[in-house]
Amino acid sequence: MGAGPAGLTAAYELTKHDVPVTVIEKDPSYVGGLARTVEHNGYRFDIGGHRFFSKNQEIEDLWTEVMQDEMLTRGRLSRIYYRGRFYAYPIKAFNALWNLGPVEAVRCLVSYAYAKVRPIKNPRSLEDWVRNQFGWRLYSIFFKTYTEKVWGISTKELSADWAAQRIKSLDLGLVIRSALLPKRKPRDRGEIVTTLIDRFRYPRLGPGQMWERVTSILESRGRPVLMGRTILRIEHRGGLVRTVVARNDDGAVEEYAGSQFVSSIPMRELVRLLEPAPPAPVLDAANKLGYRDFISIALMIDRPDLFPDNWIYIHDPSVKVGRIQNFKNWSPDMVPDQTKTCLGLEYFCFEGDGLWTMDDAALIDVARKELAQLGMCPPEAVFDGVVVRQQKAYPVYDDVYQARVQVIRDYLAKSLPNLHVAGRNGMHKYNNQDHSMMTALLVARAIATGSALDPWKVNADAVYHEDIRVGEKDLSGRQVPERLAGVSR
Ligand SMILES: Cc1cc2nc3c(=O)[nH]c(=O)nc-3n(C[C@H](O)[C@H](O)[C@H](O)COP(=O)(O)OP(=O)(O)OC[C@H]3O[C@@H](n4cnc5c(N)ncnc54)[C@H](O)[C@@H]3O)c2cc1C
């Protein structure tokens, strides 16, 4: 169920083992899910730019196997834009203070000194923790606005733990030394990996090209992906799932019987589709899983070159846009005409809120005006635009999501052992393609070979760890802020 990276990887692996598969996808035309590439009049754009980078060599090899010489290696440039100036990302204190100018730099230093002399005792919120480390002014410029844009939650309500794990504290002595002394070579593998992230791979025609290719390979193996199928129910009997019932684009209802089922559709949806319905606590746990949604507005602009970054983080509080992608800088072939540019303005939102329900023309107008307001391009240079709304772009990690996911996992494992979950929303894990693919590979191998591989033991770096125990926090990589216990929206 689902033809995103997880569903397609599972099918690709299963067909390698000669296991017959059927892939059902609700989108009428695009494969790739969140990693699809949308096309509009020859302009191609992602739902958020997708870097192909993994610490898991097997996944890197799989990308190469499918893409061959269509995979580009690109340099990464992604800066922060704030009040008309660009700042290095990750933030470098000297560069930040220099760019802010002497008056603001002095204010930042005074506020930093004040925070050091008068720290907030026992900081609980992200706001308190970052303010203690950087001072209020640097915090409000570089952390507050963007974090709140992405998660739609005040930084007062987010837990300090996330910041403590992810954000390096500021040592002004070190800042001054590193500004004056020549750069040394990286010392260890960790530093080299960090440097490597400055380069990433990217399919010539965007991430969707990878998934279009996998779909063609499946077709050549006699297993075409069935598009435009909306799942109506997942029927089970006697402790096993028996049939998936879907409606196709023509309105006809179809039934797909099987012996093993892999779901990469959002966990909340999966549980709701089960028939008979699961026990109330399982349904309740699923209904309370939260998501952050996303709108990408692609604007076609009559300019050959606007900025050199792949993407820019917009910290400016006067606009709603959170990030701007420049797809031509990911791959020149993302635009049909090199005298033009295609930017993707990204807005983080909740399904049904003011932005989500705005009509497309109004959204394009907002994007065009914000671009002009940021001083990036005059409104009359924008000659076309298209809006893509993406539900459930980010699974939300609140303080109780793990317990809810556990209730669902336990139920599925005990009551429906032939129903397997894989992927990002399939497992409610805020991870990249490599993680989704690795979980799907393991599920497929377990089905094909009968081995006891467990996709829940894949960590955020897409590495399979036999020793991750249930309930243990995986601190190896991508972490997201968690809402403070007792704070509700
Ligand atoms: C803004 C953004 C930027 C990202 N950047 C990167 C990046 O730089 N690098 C990277 O590696 N990853 C990135 N990711 C993450 C990456 O997109 C995901 O990890 C990956 O797409 C997850 O794959 P999946 O198959 O698990 O889920 P999805 O991609 O969500 O695919 C699920 C599929 O199931 C289908 N589906 C859902 N419900 C049903 C239903 N009821 N019936 C039938 N089909 C259904 C959907 O249409 C979809 O095609 C990014 C994600 C976002 C949102």
Side-chain angles (χ1 to χ4, degrees), residues 1-8 24-27 30-36 47-53 63 211 229-232 264-266 269 273 294 311 323 325 330 346 348 390-394 422-426 429-437 439 478:
M1 289 168 260
L8 290 174
I24 301 175
E25 167 57 48
K26 76 171 175 189
D27 195 288
Y30 288 109
V31 291
L34 295 168
R36 69 190 180 280
I47 313 305
H50 273 64
R51 282 183 295 153
F52 283 57
F53 176 83
W63 287 332
W211 303 111
R229 263 69 175 188
T230 303
I231 298 173
L232 302 176
S264 66
I265 70 174
E269 216 172 318
L273 288 168
F294 183 87
W311 72 93
R323 232 168 21 194
Q325 304 286 342
W330 289 75
E346 300 178 352
F348 306 94
Q390 179 61 56
Q391 291 170 317
K392 302 185 178 65
Y394 300 90
R424 175 157 156 137
N425 286 333
K429 287 218 163 200
Y430 170 54
N431 285 331
N432 275 337
Q433 278 180 107
D434 57 348
H435 177 274
S436 302
M437 293 169 65
T439 56
R478 198 178 178 98

